[in-house]
Amino acid sequence: MKQQGVHPEGAESTSDASSRPGTADPGKKAAGEADDSAKREVRKDAGATDTGRRAVEGKATGDLELDETPADEVEGDEPLLPARVHRPSDLMRLLVGVLGIVLLLAIAAFAHGTTSGLEQDINKGTGQAPDVFSKMAGLVSSIAILLVPVAFAIERLIKRDGLRIADGVLAAVLAHGVTLATDLWVARAAPDSIRDALTQPSPGDVGSLTDPVHGYLAPVIAYMTAVGMSRRPRWRAVLWAVLVLYAFSMLVTGYTTPFSIILTLLIGWTVAYGTLYAVGSPNVRPTGRTLMAGLRHVGFRPVSAAREEVSEESGDRGRRYFVTLEEGPPLDVTVVDREQQAQGFFYRAWRNLTLRGFATRSSLQSLRQALEQEALLAYAAIAAGANAPKLIATSELGPDAVMLVYEHTGGHTLDSLSDKEITDDLLHGTWRQVKALQSRRIAHRRLVGDAILVDRSGKVIITDLRIGEIAANTLLLRMDISQLLVTLGLRVGAERAVASAVSVLGPDAVADCLPMLQPIALSRSTRATLRRLARERAQRERDAVLEASRHAKHARSEEAAEDSGAVLDKPDKKTVRAQARAEKRAIDDALEEAREEDLLTLIRHEVLLIRPQAPVEPARLERVRPRTLISFIAGAIGAYFLLTQLTHIEFGPLVANAQWGWVAAAVLFSAASYVAAAMALLGFVPERVPFRRTVAAQVAGSFVKIVAPAAVGGVALNTRFLQRSGVRPGLAVASVGASQLFGLGCHILMLLSFGYLTGTEKTPSLSPSRTVIAGLLTVAVLVLVVTSVPFLRKFVVTRVRSLFAGVVPRMLDVLQRPQKLVTGIGGMLLLTACFVMCLDASIRAFGSEGTSISIASVAVVFLAGNALGSAAPTPGGVGAVEATLTVGLIAVGLPSEVAAPSVLLFRLLTLWLPVLPGWLAFNHLTRKGAL
């Protein structure tokens, strides 16, 4: 056992035990003394049982076990530890094993020449081994590979560790099932390249092949991994010696291939960790009693320990205890074990992957590294002059946990203080602590409310330094300032937060942090709070709009009721228009009054009042965005599908026999689609907007579709274009929303109509096809599911309500101008017709008289492919649209050698060739101020 630090004799307490958070009131404690004593007795009995189980496991593993005294008092919320836990590390190993299997099969499938050459080299090398040695190795390894697991099982049973053996047997059974399924797949459905890489002619049976996966080797590996043999040095050495000897003997005798051996190892390893993650591993977390024994081991004399609650986000920073001693001030002890350290692994790994220029702490960090990092930061913070908990000792609690012993600080966190208790002096004291850290280039990395402690005297103490960094770069230091600005702004407002920061750090330091003031640079809990506040603001705006709409309708109905007695005729058009304009003005005024700026914007405004020249452009912190990664994966899948379709097509004769007249027709239809798109947009904009410039904006949209998803880029560009054309922002959004809403309705109606025609065109009756009926039934089931689940129903109703709150008043303006409505709907129909005719012309360019299909079938395929392309996260629907159109054309009877080049020509004319004109139009409109 190793120890670091100094003995705490003579240390002075900064506050007494009554100042620590969570201490019960004396009156309440007296009232519930009987209940508390009963709970302590239950925990004492449970702790004794848990201690006995851990002692058995510690002796079984050969680890040093700390003696625990039954009289130890562990108060507070010390939950009973479960016997088994699901380790994130087991899940990570499972995913790594699955990835390894996929990569191995991919190499076998696509690198056939490499695999064949590797097998020949290995067979040539192993063939030179002496025959006697080969037979002896095969005999010894065959016996040892069965005896070693049995010997280990006996050893575990003697030490009363039967649960591990049960886990190993379960993993072995599952691995055997996976090997049987893999053998069946390779024999019947796998590509020839994979079959050749995993099998070869059997030496003992002419005409048969060797097994792709060894049916008893994979279970043995799964068993050995699940029972934990790899964590015991002697057994691990024996295991590897047996495996190497067995693999060598099998390769020499020609009963396997190198890829088969590797696949067998991966399957056994993967199944073992999958089993361990599913059923759980024995819990080796130290209890509070183990903590007490550990404190005695390093020279303290503890009397009792109380577990303190921590926030959900800081759950991976250890369990905290308040420990009282026989003599001297109390202690604050943090216990960190492997399970807590593994919490948030995938989140940290994702942050390391996506953030540019800096990274969070290492995703894979040993307990020793975590202990040393926290100790170093604690000493560095105090040396910098900051108020931080004083670390007085560190120690290990067995092989799976460490503890850090601090002097007791006491006090309350910033989150637990009321708004009245957060004074200007407290704000200034907080910024002074951050200034002290930054003077020595120490970054905290998590300046949230529960990391700022205020003791009884009002002194601010900075805690939770575990994930900080020394010798931090300027980027991290500025991120600390921006994080603390938001943390304080959430409690006292942007004005006081900025004023306190400027008074301590100076205006220049605060202004320099503005580029870091973005959600990606903030902590996870802060981002969640900002999202919640954004939802509340949006809800208040929607409620205000709906309330204004109801008041306007009520006033209009009252006026109609008053006038009904005197005037029997219907109101004229001018009256209707005046009422509609009044309702629209009321909605706009209500929306303007209810609109609130978010906290980040308010902080920027406050800083700009002090430093107007401060940089406001957000810094590029993301290396890879989730949308980019999803787009890359989806595009790769679509590209793979297209390549598999194109490998069987000979393009030379196909292009030579192409009908270029139909190609020219497809080009014309593609060009006409931009005019139709302009009509579809302007039909829902009552204001006057230049038609030619609108067409140019739709051409520019062909460039935007390449850099953004199809359903997002076009909406953003059209909204921006209308705003630059003089349409108010709210009305521009409503016009684009109305266009999208009508477009969706027309799309669904045309899909159902053409689907109905496709199902009846070859039958004398008018009965719809089974596909249309199945689609309608599916939609009906989805509607029933959404309406029956309260969460989904509320989600849909909220979104529809917000949509119609802005779109319906806009539609009233459009309905008063029938020519506009006709232009909009006609443009949508013409746009769909242009695309359908372009696809049909592309088909006719490569097809013959006997390979043509009906216009209705082409329309159904296009509408389905376009819908999927709009939903796909890839820019322009790349991959998803091509795959859907190709499969759809083949499904309606078009040969694959015609469908694939037709889809490529269609996408070339509608997506790729317009990119250059779109880029030119985008730049032209940007220079003119139209975008």
Side-chain angles (χ1 to χ4, degrees):
M1 189 74 66
K2 297 180 180 179
Q3 176 187 357
Q4 298 176 359
V6 296
H7 197 277
E9 294 295 336
E12 296 182 359
S13 173
T14 57
S15 61
D16 57 25
S18 63
S19 65
R20 63 179 176 86
T23 303
D25 183 82
K28 295 181 180 179
K29 185 174 182 180
E33 185 176 358
D35 293 337
D36 292 341
S37 62
K39 293 179 181 178
R40 284 196 293 271
E41 288 297 322
V42 171
R43 283 196 294 268
K44 187 181 296 183
D45 295 338
T49 304
D50 195 55
T51 302
R53 175 174 62 82
R54 297 181 190 283
V56 171
E57 292 180 355
K59 294 176 182 178
T61 58
D63 298 330
L64 178 61
E65 183 72 21
L66 298 172
D67 295 331
E68 299 180 10
T69 304
D72 290 339
E73 292 287 342
V74 182
E75 301 175 354
D77 184 16
E78 179 71 2
L80 298 178
L81 298 179
R84 288 178 173 268
V85 292
H86 302 279
R87 301 178 185 272
S89 57
D90 293 336
L91 176 60
M92 183 185 67
R93 292 187 178 97
L94 168 64
L95 298 177
V96 171
V98 172
L99 180 61
I101 293 174
V102 172
L103 291 177
L104 180 68
L105 295 178
I107 293 173
F110 297 104
H112 181 66
T114 303
T115 58
S116 300
L118 180 63
E119 290 181 8
Q120 293 175 4
D121 294 339
I122 292 178
N123 292 333
K124 182 179 179 181
T126 56
Q128 299 177 359
D131 187 59
V132 176
F133 178 76
S134 301
K135 292 181 179 180
M136 183 63 67
L139 177 62
V140 172
S141 61
S142 299
I143 297 174
I145 206 168
L146 297 176
L147 289 182
V148 170
V150 175
F152 184 78
I154 295 174
E155 189 258 351
R156 289 289 90 196
L157 291 174
I158 292 174
K159 295 188 176 182
R160 299 180 180 181
D161 196 11
L163 289 178
R164 291 185 183 273
I165 304 302
D167 295 342
V169 172
L170 177 60
V173 172
L174 294 177
H176 184 65
V178 173
T179 57
L180 292 179
T182 305
D183 288 344
L184 185 63
W185 172 72
V186 172
R188 297 188 178 181
D192 294 338
S193 56
I194 294 180
R195 188 181 299 112
D196 294 339
L198 298 177
T199 61
Q200 64 181 8
S202 178
D205 189 2
V206 180
S208 63
L209 299 175
T210 58
D211 294 333
V213 182
H214 296 275
Y216 62 92
L217 179 58
V220 168
I221 295 172
Y223 168 84
M224 294 176 174
T225 305
V227 298
M229 287 183 64
S230 60
R231 292 191 294 270
R232 293 163 175 82
R234 295 180 181 178
W235 287 102
R236 182 172 64 243
V238 174
L239 170 62
W240 278 107
V242 170
L243 290 178
V244 171
L245 191 62
Y246 179 81
F248 173 77
S249 62
M250 295 294 289
L251 288 172
V252 168
T253 55
Y255 281 97
T256 189
T257 65
F259 280 86
S260 176
I261 290 290
I262 298 174
L263 181 62
T264 302
L265 292 173
L266 287 174
I267 288 178
W269 191 73
T270 304
V271 171
Y273 284 111
T275 305
L276 290 178
Y277 184 75
V279 303
S281 302
N283 195 347
V284 294
R285 278 190 176 185
T287 62
R289 298 180 183 277
T290 308
L291 167 65
M292 304 287 278
L295 289 172
R296 291 193 188 93
H297 188 78
V298 295
F300 296 99
R301 289 180 290 177
V303 176
S304 64
R307 173 81 175 272
E308 296 182 358
E309 296 183 358
V310 296
S311 64
E312 183 176 346
E313 185 182 0
S314 60
D316 63 333
R317 291 168 176 81
R319 287 171 286 145
R320 299 174 183 175
Y321 293 87
F322 173 80
V323 180
T324 57
L325 304 177
E326 292 182 4
E327 296 180 359
L331 304 174
D332 290 329
V333 182
T334 301
V335 177
V336 182
D337 56 48
R338 296 189 188 278
E339 295 307 311
Q340 290 170 322
Q341 192 185 28
Q343 291 182 13
F345 165 79
F346 295 105
Y347 173 76
R348 294 194 300 271
W350 175 252
R351 295 274 290 184
N352 289 337
L353 174 66
T354 57
L355 294 185
R356 176 193 303 271
F358 68 96
T360 59
R361 64 182 173 90
S362 176
S363 302
L364 292 174
Q365 191 179 39
S366 67
L367 286 173
R368 169 60 59 182
Q369 291 173 333
L371 184 146
E372 292 173 350
Q373 180 182 3
E374 185 164 357
L376 176 62
L377 283 163
Y379 294 140
I382 293 177
N387 297 328
K390 183 179 180 181
L391 182 67
I392 56 178
T394 60
S395 178
E396 295 178 346
L397 294 178
D400 297 307
V402 295
M403 70 174 180
L404 298 101
V405 184
Y406 294 91
E407 287 185 353
H408 176 63
T409 53
H412 301 274
T413 63
L414 184 68
D415 288 340
S416 63
L417 297 178
S418 64
D419 293 340
K420 294 182 179 179
E421 294 176 303
I422 304 178
T423 62
D424 290 339
D425 291 338
L426 191 151
L427 297 178
H428 293 163
T430 304
W431 285 112
R432 281 193 289 269
Q433 300 307 310
V434 174
K435 184 178 181 179
L437 292 176
Q438 299 211 347
S439 66
R440 300 295 178 86
R441 304 199 70 81
I442 300 174
H444 186 282
R445 304 295 303 275
R446 190 179 169 272
L447 285 172
V448 295
D450 61 359
I452 301 171
L453 199 66
V454 183
D455 65 7
R456 299 179 63 182
S457 63
K459 182 174 66 174
V460 178
I461 302 171
I462 301 296
T463 64
D464 278 346
L465 287 160
R466 182 181 177 189
I467 65 171
E469 288 191 16
I470 62 172
N473 57 36
T474 305
L475 188 67
L476 291 177
L477 300 179
R478 292 177 179 175
M479 285 180 62
D480 270 359
I481 298 176
S482 62
Q483 171 65 62
L484 188 56
L485 277 174
V486 177
T487 298
L488 298 179
L490 289 172
R491 297 301 311 273
V492 302
E495 183 177 358
R496 289 183 61 191
V498 173
S500 60
V502 170
S503 64
V504 176
L505 302 180
D508 294 333
V510 178
D512 290 339
C513 79
L514 284 189
M516 305 296 110
L517 204 62
Q518 49 183 307
I520 189 63
L522 305 176
S523 68
R524 181 161 41 174
S525 60
T526 305
R527 294 199 304 271
T529 303
L530 293 177
R531 286 194 296 267
R532 177 178 58 80
L533 294 177
R535 290 194 296 268
E536 293 175 356
R537 288 195 307 271
Q539 183 62 43
R540 288 193 293 269
E541 292 179 3
R542 287 193 292 267
D543 293 341
V545 169
L546 293 175
E547 185 67 22
S549 178
R550 281 194 295 267
H551 280 305
K553 291 179 181 178
H554 182 68
R556 188 169 57 186
S557 62
E558 287 183 350
E559 292 178 1
E562 293 176 358
D563 296 341
S564 60
V567 181
L568 298 179
D569 297 334
K570 294 182 179 181
D572 56 5
K573 293 183 179 180
K574 292 183 178 180
T575 304
V576 173
R577 292 179 181 176
Q579 292 174 347
R581 284 194 295 269
E583 181 177 355
K584 185 181 66 170
R585 279 196 303 271
I587 291 175
D588 292 340
D589 293 341
L591 183 61
E592 195 67 30
E593 292 178 2
R595 183 173 288 111
E596 305 173 26
E597 291 184 329
D598 63 286
L599 178 62
L600 301 184
T601 303
L602 292 175
I603 292 176
R604 292 190 188 96
H605 289 170
E606 293 295 329
V607 175
L608 291 176
L609 291 177
I610 301 171
R611 279 288 185 271
Q613 71 276 13
V616 295
E617 186 69 21
R620 177 69 186 275
L621 300 179
E622 288 181 293
R623 182 186 295 112
V624 179
R625 297 182 179 181
R627 181 184 301 168
T628 304
L629 186 60
I630 295 174
S631 301
F632 175 77
I633 295 174
I637 294 174
Y640 171 75
F641 176 82
L642 286 178
L643 289 176
T644 56
Q645 296 292 324
L646 298 177
T647 53
H648 305 289
I649 300 175
E650 297 181 2
F651 284 94
L654 193 66
V655 174
N657 298 326
Q659 302 182 36
W660 295 100
W662 285 111
V663 174
V667 172
L668 293 177
F669 287 125
S670 176
S673 65
Y674 297 101
V675 178
M679 294 172 56
L681 176 63
L682 293 181
F684 297 92
V685 182
E687 292 82 4
R688 293 183 59 85
V689 179
F691 182 78
R692 294 179 59 183
R693 183 166 289 185
T694 307
V695 175
Q698 305 312 303
V699 176
S702 61
F703 166 70
V704 177
K705 286 193 300 184
I706 297 299
V707 298
V712 177
V715 172
L717 184 136
N718 287 329
T719 303
R720 179 70 172 174
F721 170 73
L722 292 180
Q723 293 177 7
R724 288 292 189 175
S725 299
V727 182
R728 293 178 57 186
L731 300 180
V733 173
S735 296
V736 176
S739 175
Q740 293 289 316
L741 182 63
F742 263 80
L744 176 63
C746 292
H747 194 98
I748 294 175
L749 290 177
M750 285 188 292
L751 182 60
L752 295 177
S753 301
F754 284 113
Y756 183 90
L757 294 176
T758 302
T760 60
E761 63 183 2
K762 297 182 180 180
T763 59
S765 64
L766 293 178
S767 59
S769 65
R770 295 181 179 180
T771 304
V772 176
I773 295 176
L776 293 176
L777 291 177
T778 302
V779 172
V781 170
L782 291 176
V783 171
L784 290 176
V785 169
V786 170
T787 55
S788 61
V789 178
F791 170 75
L792 295 176
R793 183 173 63 250
K794 182 180 179 180
F795 178 82
V796 173
V797 169
T798 303
R799 293 302 183 272
V800 172
R801 226 155 136 207
S802 63
L803 174 65
F804 279 93
V807 171
V808 171
R810 193 60 165 168
M811 290 307 306
L812 294 176
D813 295 339
V814 175
L815 291 175
Q816 297 172 11
R817 301 183 181 183
Q819 69 277 12
K820 280 284 186 180
L821 186 62
V822 171
T823 301
I825 297 178
M828 292 177 183
L829 297 177
L830 180 60
L831 179 63
T832 302
C834 288
F835 282 125
V836 171
M837 295 304 297
C838 181
L839 180 58
D840 182 71
S842 301
I843 295 172
R844 296 178 184 275
F846 294 103
S848 58
E849 292 294 334
T851 59
S852 61
I853 56 177
S854 66
I855 291 293
S857 300
V858 176
V860 169
V861 172
F862 164 75
L863 292 170
N866 187 53
L868 184 59
S870 299
T874 56
V878 174
V881 173
E882 287 84 354
T884 305
L885 293 180
T886 304
V887 172
L889 292 177
I890 295 175
V892 296
L894 196 67
S896 59
E897 59 271 12
V898 178
S902 301
V903 170
L904 288 180
L905 176 61
F906 173 75
R907 294 290 283 172
L908 183 67
L909 297 178
T910 58
L911 180 66
W912 298 110
L913 286 182
V915 170
L916 180 58
W919 178 72
L920 296 175
F922 185 85
N923 289 334
H924 174 73
L925 293 176
T926 302
R927 287 195 303 270
K928 294 294 185 180
L931 284 180

